[in-house]
Amino acid sequence: MMRSKIPWLLLAYACCWSTGFCGRVVVWPTDASHWINVKVLLQELVLRGHEVTVLVPSSNLLIDYQDTSSPFTFEVLQVPFSQKTLDALMEDFLNFWLNEVSNAFPWEVMWRMKKDLEVFTNMSKQTCDTLVTNSQLIAKLQQAKFDVLIADPLSIGGELVAEILGIPFVYSFRFSDGNVVERLCGGLPSPPSYVPASTSGLTHHMSFMERLQNFLIYLYTDLFFLKVWRDELDEYYSNVLGRPTTLCETIGKAEIWLIRTYWDFEFPRPFLPNFEFVGGLHCQPAKPLPKEMEEFVQSSGEHGIVVFSLGSMVYNLSDEKSNVIAKALSQLPQKVLWRYKGKKPETLGSNTRIYDWIPQNDLLGHPSAKAFITHGGTNGLYEAIYHGIPMVGIPMFADQHDNIAHVVAKGAAVHVDFNTLKTQDLVDALNTVIYNSTYKENALKLSKIQHDQPVKPLDRAVFWIEFVMRHKGAKHLRPASHHLTWYQYHSLDVLAFLFTCVAITVFILVKCCLCCCRRCGRIAKRKKE
Amino acid sequence: MMRSKIPWLLLAYACCWSTGFCGRVVVWPTDASHWINVKVLLQELVLRGHEVTVLVPSSNLLIDYQDTSSPFTFEVLQVPFSQKTLDALMEDFLNFWLNEVSNAFPWEVMWRMKKDLEVFTNMSKQTCDTLVTNSQLIAKLQQAKFDVLIADPLSIGGELVAEILGIPFVYSFRFSDGNVVERLCGGLPSPPSYVPASTSGLTHHMSFMERLQNFLIYLYTDLFFLKVWRDELDEYYSNVLGRPTTLCETIGKAEIWLIRTYWDFEFPRPFLPNFEFVGGLHCQPAKPLPKEMEEFVQSSGEHGIVVFSLGSMVYNLSDEKSNVIAKALSQLPQKVLWRYKGKKPETLGSNTRIYDWIPQNDLLGHPSAKAFITHGGTNGLYEAIYHGIPMVGIPMFADQHDNIAHVVAKGAAVHVDFNTLKTQDLVDALNTVIYNSTYKENALKLSKIQHDQPVKPLDRAVFWIEFVMRHKGAKHLRPASHHLTWYQYHSLDVLAFLFTCVAITVFILVKCCLCCCRRCGRIAKRKKE
């Protein structure tokens, strides 16, 4: 069958005709799993009659701009780094976090994180440069008269493009390190006493030492990012916009922040009216499996199946690691479907089948699904939550440790350490989540919360994007805190003033008392004399 | 036509049959305008198949428990205060705030507020006592196996009844003075730098002096209410429940807080996942007017009409005041419909008609409506917002000053002072909102925000009540801050620890430096010698 845009366009025009409102959306995407998530949102926008144009770097990981059946229009930005360079960088990144991190000293890990951030920011800046220095392209985009820009603040530049085009923008976001972007630029209040900093692996119930740790993480990320932004990006943003500004000020102009979690996964925390928690927007009921796969699943009988994936980035493992895992899986009575592109492990059992790709959502939604072994990416976790499947988490890098900490705290997962992983650890963890019924019960509880919402997350996300298009923004949701300095926000000037008043009053009172005492003393002395 | 419950019950059973879920709801209402608002919500619950039982004091203002056509079951609490006492109290209350407040000194106003609070709290306590000392009634209520209790924390006691019955409870709430209940008991974060304390009349954009004022209002309300609660209610709650507890702790167990505002009226502020802003839930499209009224409205021609009501509590005014107002109205080219039960003013113009009661929502939704003169009650304001009608606010007491300050800040109203009101002030204010088009435009902007929501406020309110019934609560939305003390919440123990660490480090460093200096000094001295 020829792959074509035609079915998408027909659906879109039909919808556009029926609703009477068709907008133009331009997208500044973030690659990898972020793209997988936002693509679902963009597809829905197309289905509702909107035109979607994606500004895509010529070298990227998962955004297939040559796919002629894609419902999106792609505007390719000819970036100065090649696909080969990008792939090599990713391989180096994965190699460190999968194989080298366990032997590294803490300061080496810290240095590596800083380096990764610099490399990533630099690539985003280069991508941004490709656009802002291309006046022809800017003119073309301006002529297209877009209604809204959708960006992900993890890849800087989207907000800058929106400013240049003079259009409102909406973020689709998971989080930043220590929530620094949401807090400092978005005004999101996050009391360190019960709102754990993202990537900290902490929960909302913290001991004194954990609260101290959380406080210091907030402080560290604030100082670290403020320095990085000041050194790297504030001047860049000012130069491009031709007026003094900062990265944070520009980010703060976002009309709506669509956060890719919900209260099933997220700990309850304060938020603002322009923050919508739309976690699980990509989830949907399971579709039938391919025939061969369905037969394999059915052959599991009452034992059921275990679904195993380490996500869209990790294709292979070291021989040692893959054998440890395969041996553990071989000891299960369940059938296992493992998404893996590496060399077939020697210890692979007859109950385990390896696939280049698996229909993960359909497998997790299959009645035979008993457990999900996951690296802890948000997309996969949400598919497991949606279908109520308990998890074994093997986090490796980025937000994965933190994500797994959340589902462990909610009682729906067991965590195993990738670096020290032994065969028995994985067997024990799987047996626990499969045979200790509380894990299944807790996973079903989370699933109920996910399903029992007034409006589905995807519909909420689309609603707010369409709202911004209809009303040219959502200024009525913007908190006044954006107009305050940090010391005004925390009422430090008010406290200083009150403290000064109290100090002056006390000083005057003490002086008066001393004066009275001295006078009384003198009178008494005179009387005595 | 005989008034009967039968049509309600038929509708309810039909709905119950179709949805397959019929719950039992018990209500601890607050009187006056609060009842008018919550009644709409309760009627909707009945329509969706739920049984609603209202615990009503035998003496009250607006809850007609003898109405046989009411869709609710009433459980009458034989309170020790008579209807006469209550009416006299209300008359005295209104007399002070309408006629005496302008001649009172500030401390007299403060004293009066304290007295009113005491009287009101005492009546709530007496009502509560009527129930908690009646073991037969408690047994009856326990046997009824209610799924949820709906209360308004302005009348204390609802949360206590829910605890006794062992059922979850949901609040329907406007606000407390200085948001003290929401902040201290509900955990609602309210930075004093941009979240104006309710009843302060401040907006979200504050000067330094206004921020100072706001800070002091928060501080004052915190200390004042903590003292009142400690003296009056903490012991009472502990005695009734038979375990040491506090009013605030019991209030903090609310599953959901349904707040009766939305971001059209409210300034953007931080909130928590168990707070839903459902302002305007009682609003609906206008229905046709009675024939005589429609003819009068039509006779206004292109000039249109002005709708005038001082709410459900204020029935009459002093002769002087009513004549000042009537004279102003007589100078308008518009026709005026005035809800008023007092003596007909001598200066009443031929363009003004006085009614005992008016279909306010239908009049405001009429195409001829040009302006609304209002005391600033939330229900009326929301009807004006819903229909996009600019307002002239004449606030008198309670939240009315604050409410009018909100719509004035949003550019949809002009404020006039009731105490110093002159004929020309009212004429000028009305001409401004009618002929300066920005007021109409701003009112229409607010109306658009009210109408353009993913789910209507009434449906959202019902959804969360039904959610609590389905899941026996909404614990996944409850922030962990409820487990922290005030100093832990503000990280003061962490700050004190860090400060101590820094102080000790500095002390040791200074000591070491001094020691070195001394040693160096001695060596230099010896060398010199």
Side-chain angles (χ1 to χ4, degrees):
Chain A
M1 194 177 74
M2 194 187 149
R3 296 165 86 200
S4 150
K5 277 183 202 278
I6 294 171
W8 282 102
L9 291 175
L10 282 177
L11 268 169
Y13 284 128
C15 187
C16 177
W17 179 78
S18 67
T19 61
F21 175 66
C22 320
R24 287 162 190 259
V25 181
V26 60
V27 185
W28 184 265
T30 292
D31 210 340
S33 60
H34 297 246
W35 171 247
I36 293 173
N37 191 283
V38 88
K39 201 166 70 174
V40 177
L41 178 58
L42 301 180
Q43 282 169 347
E44 187 64 25
L45 285 170
V46 169
L47 283 178
R48 298 201 192 190
H50 307 294
E51 281 176 40
V52 174
T53 301
V54 183
L55 303 171
V56 56
S58 51
S59 306
N60 73 76
L61 299 171
L62 291 184
I63 311 174
D64 184 4
Y65 55 82
Q66 283 164 336
D67 175 6
T68 51
S69 70
S70 168
F72 318 130
T73 304
F74 289 103
E75 191 65 61
V76 183
L77 306 173
Q78 294 299 336
V79 288
F81 50 88
S82 69
Q83 189 65 42
K84 216 172 154 185
T85 315
L86 180 66
D87 292 342
L89 269 170
M90 278 315 296
E91 207 175 314
D92 179 51
F93 172 86
L94 290 174
N95 184 46
F96 178 82
W97 290 101
L98 263 65
N99 306 321
E100 294 175 11
V101 70
S102 54
N103 303 320
F105 289 105
W107 55 88
E108 284 176 317
V109 177
M110 296 275 278
W111 180 85
R112 177 74 201 205
M113 282 169 81
K114 186 177 171 293
K115 197 191 132 205
D116 286 343
L117 181 73
E118 278 169 6
V119 168
F120 190 73
T121 306
N122 197 34
M123 284 169 74
S124 291
K125 211 167 133 187
Q126 284 179 319
T127 308
C128 202
D129 256 342
T130 312
L131 192 148
V132 299
T133 55
N134 186 340
S135 54
Q136 256 187 321
L137 179 55
I138 291 176
K140 186 182 168 190
L141 294 174
Q142 273 166 339
Q143 276 161 14
K145 297 204 179 304
F146 291 108
D147 297 294
V148 69
L149 182 141
I150 298 175
D152 182 329
L154 200 72
S155 298
I156 61 117
E159 51 292 325
L160 199 53
V161 178
E163 282 282 281
I164 291 168
L165 299 181
I167 54 172
F169 63 99
V170 169
Y171 279 138
S172 164
F173 198 30
R174 172 66 185 91
F175 69 85
S176 59
D177 270 324
N179 305 102
V180 72
V181 171
E182 304 92 300
R183 287 187 295 112
L184 300 193
C185 313
L188 189 71
S190 307
S193 52
Y194 76 100
V195 180
S198 54
T199 68
S200 68
L202 295 166
T203 77
H204 57 155
H205 289 293
M206 290 181 262
S207 64
F208 174 79
M209 289 312 289
E210 285 170 334
R211 286 191 291 112
L212 177 66
Q213 184 188 341
N214 200 41
F215 188 94
L216 291 174
I217 293 172
Y218 276 140
L219 195 67
Y220 164 74
T221 46
D222 284 8
L223 298 175
F224 178 77
F225 278 93
L226 281 174
K227 178 157 169 35
V228 170
W229 291 338
R230 199 168 297 135
D231 292 354
E232 297 274 330
L233 296 163
D234 289 354
E235 199 185 332
Y236 179 69
Y237 270 56
S238 300
N239 286 342
V240 170
L241 292 176
R243 61 169 189 264
T245 187
T246 65
L247 168 74
C248 219
E249 190 192 347
T250 319
I251 285 178
K253 291 181 180 170
E255 305 289 339
I256 303 280
W257 297 65
L258 301 170
I259 304 294
R260 291 198 288 269
T261 57
Y262 184 62
W263 309 112
D264 38 17
F265 171 88
E266 193 80 65
F267 301 117
R269 56 158 296 148
F271 62 106
L272 293 164
N274 58 346
F275 279 68
E276 270 296 310
F277 289 76
V278 292
L281 65 80
H282 63 293
C283 300
Q284 49 186 319
K287 290 191 290 287
L289 298 173
K291 195 166 167 270
E292 171 271 340
M293 199 175 268
E294 178 66 35
E295 282 168 8
F296 179 62
V297 169
Q298 287 300 342
S299 72
S300 67
E302 64 179 10
H303 291 300
I305 59 162
V306 170
V307 185
F308 179 17
S309 168
L310 294 177
S312 53
M313 305 291 287
V314 178
Y315 294 110
N316 54 28
L317 301 166
S318 67
D319 281 0
E320 185 204 341
K321 213 54 111 186
S322 63
N323 273 305
V324 164
I325 290 172
K327 198 174 167 192
L329 300 177
S330 73
Q331 295 175 25
L332 300 174
Q334 284 76 26
K335 296 283 164 80
V336 184
L337 296 98
W338 181 2
R339 182 194 179 179
Y340 186 56
K341 275 188 176 173
K343 191 183 141 198
K344 188 178 165 185
E346 287 158 14
T347 55
L348 197 76
S350 61
N351 68 332
T352 308
R353 280 200 193 164
I354 287 177
Y355 298 84
D356 268 10
W357 177 86
I358 51 170
Q360 187 171 285
N361 183 62
D362 305 331
L363 282 167
L364 291 170
H366 196 282
S368 300
K370 297 288 178 197
F372 179 37
I373 312 174
T374 172
H375 63 305
T378 322
N379 289 337
L381 281 193
Y382 258 106
E383 284 167 357
I385 287 174
Y386 185 87
H387 296 295
I389 304 299
M391 290 158 263
V392 170
I394 316 180
M396 286 168 282
F397 55 86
D399 58 339
Q400 298 166 7
H401 290 275
D402 203 52
N403 291 344
I404 294 297
H406 277 240
V407 275
V408 167
K410 306 264 179 180
V414 165
H415 170 249
V416 293
D417 190 321
F418 180 72
N419 298 318
T420 62
L421 186 69
K422 299 274 176 301
T423 293
Q424 198 54 41
D425 298 340
L426 190 55
V427 174
D428 291 346
L430 279 162
N431 282 333
T432 305
V433 301
I434 293 171
Y435 298 109
N436 181 341
S437 62
T438 54
Y439 288 89
K440 179 69 184 175
E441 284 160 18
N442 289 328
L444 284 174
K445 259 186 214 165
L446 300 187
S447 178
K448 272 188 190 168
I449 293 168
Q450 169 64 218
H451 285 273
D452 206 354
Q453 300 182 46
V455 183
K456 286 181 186 169
L458 183 60
D459 292 334
R460 274 190 291 129
V462 168
F463 175 87
W464 285 111
I465 293 168
E466 289 187 336
F467 185 98
V468 169
M469 289 200 267
R470 275 195 296 274
H471 299 269
K472 320 270 178 227
K475 293 285 174 288
H476 69 294
L477 300 178
R478 186 178 166 78
S481 57
H482 286 288
H483 300 281
L484 299 171
T485 62
W486 65 272
Y487 60 84
Q488 285 173 333
Y489 178 89
H490 293 288
S491 297
L492 297 184
D493 52 349
V494 168
L495 282 168
F497 176 79
L498 288 174
F499 179 77
T500 311
C501 290
V502 171
I504 291 172
T505 313
V506 170
F507 178 77
I508 292 170
L509 282 175
V510 170
K511 275 281 175 194
C512 289
C513 286
L514 285 176
C515 199
C516 287
C517 289
R518 262 183 229 143
R519 194 165 286 182
C520 293
R522 265 182 235 144
I523 291 165
K525 207 177 167 187
R526 270 183 218 154
K527 276 185 184 170
K528 220 179 168 185
E529 284 168 358
Chain B
M1 194 178 73
M2 194 187 149
R3 295 165 86 199
S4 152
K5 276 184 202 280
I6 294 171
W8 283 102
L9 292 175
L10 281 176
L11 267 169
Y13 285 127
C15 186
C16 178
W17 177 80
S18 66
T19 61
F21 175 67
C22 318
R24 286 161 190 261
V25 181
V26 61
V27 186
W28 184 265
T30 292
D31 211 340
S33 60
H34 298 246
W35 170 248
I36 294 174
N37 191 283
V38 88
K39 202 166 69 173
V40 177
L41 176 58
L42 302 179
Q43 282 170 346
E44 187 64 25
L45 286 170
V46 170
L47 283 178
R48 298 200 191 190
H50 307 293
E51 281 177 40
V52 173
T53 301
V54 183
L55 303 170
V56 57
S58 51
S59 306
N60 73 76
L61 299 171
L62 291 185
I63 310 175
D64 184 4
Y65 54 82
Q66 284 165 335
D67 176 7
T68 51
S69 70
S70 168
F72 319 130
T73 304
F74 289 103
E75 192 64 64
V76 183
L77 308 172
Q78 295 297 337
V79 287
F81 50 87
S82 69
Q83 188 65 41
K84 216 171 153 186
T85 314
L86 180 66
D87 292 342
L89 269 170
M90 279 314 297
E91 206 174 313
D92 179 50
F93 173 85
L94 290 175
N95 185 46
F96 178 81
W97 290 103
L98 263 64
N99 305 320
E100 293 175 11
V101 70
S102 54
N103 302 320
F105 289 105
W107 56 86
E108 284 176 315
V109 178
M110 297 275 277
W111 180 85
R112 178 73 201 205
M113 283 169 81
K114 187 176 172 292
K115 197 192 132 204
D116 287 342
L117 182 74
E118 277 168 6
V119 168
F120 190 72
T121 305
N122 197 35
M123 285 170 73
S124 292
K125 213 168 133 187
Q126 284 180 319
T127 309
C128 200
D129 255 341
T130 312
L131 193 148
V132 299
T133 55
N134 185 341
S135 54
Q136 258 187 319
L137 179 56
I138 290 177
K140 185 183 167 190
L141 294 174
Q142 273 167 340
Q143 277 162 13
K145 297 204 179 303
F146 291 107
D147 297 292
V148 70
L149 181 141
I150 298 174
D152 182 328
L154 199 71
S155 298
I156 62 116
E159 51 293 324
L160 199 55
V161 179
E163 282 283 280
I164 292 168
L165 299 181
I167 55 172
F169 63 99
V170 170
Y171 279 139
S172 163
F173 198 29
R174 172 63 186 93
F175 69 84
S176 58
D177 271 324
N179 305 102
V180 72
V181 171
E182 305 92 299
R183 287 187 295 112
L184 299 193
C185 314
L188 188 70
S190 307
S193 51
Y194 75 100
V195 180
S198 54
T199 66
S200 68
L202 295 166
T203 76
H204 58 155
H205 289 293
M206 290 180 263
S207 64
F208 173 79
M209 288 312 287
E210 284 170 333
R211 285 191 293 111
L212 177 66
Q213 184 189 342
N214 199 41
F215 188 93
L216 292 173
I217 293 173
Y218 275 141
L219 195 68
Y220 164 75
T221 47
D222 284 8
L223 299 175
F224 177 76
F225 279 92
L226 281 173
K227 177 154 170 40
V228 171
W229 292 338
R230 199 169 296 134
D231 293 353
E232 297 274 331
L233 297 163
D234 290 353
E235 199 185 333
Y236 179 70
Y237 271 55
S238 301
N239 286 342
V240 171
L241 292 176
R243 62 168 190 267
T245 187
T246 64
L247 168 74
C248 218
E249 190 191 348
T250 319
I251 286 178
K253 290 180 181 172
E255 304 290 339
I256 303 280
W257 298 64
L258 301 171
I259 305 294
R260 293 199 286 271
T261 57
Y262 184 63
W263 310 114
D264 38 17
F265 172 88
E266 193 80 66
F267 301 118
R269 54 158 298 144
F271 63 107
L272 292 163
N274 58 347
F275 278 68
E276 271 294 311
F277 289 77
V278 292
L281 65 79
H282 63 294
C283 300
Q284 48 185 318
K287 292 192 289 287
L289 298 174
K291 194 166 167 271
E292 173 270 337
M293 199 176 268
E294 177 66 35
E295 281 169 8
F296 180 60
V297 169
Q298 288 299 342
S299 73
S300 68
E302 64 179 9
H303 290 302
I305 58 162
V306 170
V307 185
F308 179 18
S309 169
L310 295 177
S312 53
M313 306 291 286
V314 178
Y315 293 110
N316 54 30
L317 301 167
S318 66
D319 281 0
E320 186 204 340
K321 210 58 109 186
S322 62
N323 273 306
V324 163
I325 291 172
K327 197 174 167 193
L329 300 177
S330 72
Q331 294 176 24
L332 300 174
Q334 282 78 26
K335 295 283 163 84
V336 184
L337 296 98
W338 181 3
R339 182 193 179 181
Y340 187 56
K341 275 188 178 174
K343 190 183 141 199
K344 188 178 163 186
E346 287 159 14
T347 55
L348 195 78
S350 59
N351 67 332
T352 308
R353 280 200 193 165
I354 287 177
Y355 298 85
D356 269 10
W357 177 85
I358 51 170
Q360 189 171 282
N361 183 63
D362 305 331
L363 282 168
L364 290 170
H366 196 285
S368 298
K370 297 289 176 195
F372 179 38
I373 311 174
T374 172
H375 64 306
T378 323
N379 290 337
L381 281 193
Y382 258 107
E383 285 167 358
I385 287 174
Y386 185 87
H387 296 295
I389 304 298
M391 289 157 265
V392 169
I394 315 181
M396 285 167 282
F397 55 85
D399 57 339
Q400 298 165 5
H401 289 275
D402 203 50
N403 290 345
I404 293 298
H406 277 240
V407 275
V408 166
K410 306 263 180 179
V414 164
H415 169 250
V416 292
D417 191 322
F418 180 72
N419 298 317
T420 61
L421 186 68
K422 298 273 177 301
T423 294
Q424 198 53 42
D425 298 340
L426 189 55
V427 173
D428 290 346
L430 279 162
N431 283 333
T432 305
V433 300
I434 294 171
Y435 297 109
N436 181 339
S437 62
T438 54
Y439 288 88
K440 178 69 183 174
E441 285 160 18
N442 289 328
L444 284 173
K445 259 186 213 165
L446 300 186
S447 179
K448 273 188 190 168
I449 293 167
Q450 169 64 219
H451 286 273
D452 205 354
Q453 300 182 46
V455 183
K456 285 180 187 170
L458 183 60
D459 292 334
R460 274 190 290 129
V462 168
F463 175 87
W464 285 112
I465 293 168
E466 289 187 336
F467 185 98
V468 169
M469 290 199 266
R470 275 194 297 274
H471 299 269
K472 320 267 179 232
K475 291 286 173 286
H476 69 292
L477 300 180
R478 186 179 165 77
S481 57
H482 286 288
H483 300 279
L484 300 172
T485 61
W486 65 271
Y487 60 85
Q488 286 173 333
Y489 178 88
H490 293 289
S491 295
L492 296 184
D493 52 349
V494 168
L495 282 167
F497 177 80
L498 288 174
F499 179 76
T500 311
C501 291
V502 171
I504 291 171
T505 313
V506 170
F507 178 77
I508 292 171
L509 282 175
V510 169
K511 275 279 175 196
C512 290
C513 286
L514 285 175
C515 200
C516 288
C517 289
R518 264 184 227 139
R519 194 167 287 183
C520 293
R522 265 183 236 144
I523 292 166
K525 207 177 165 188
R526 269 184 219 153
K527 275 187 182 168
K528 220 178 168 184
E529 283 169 1

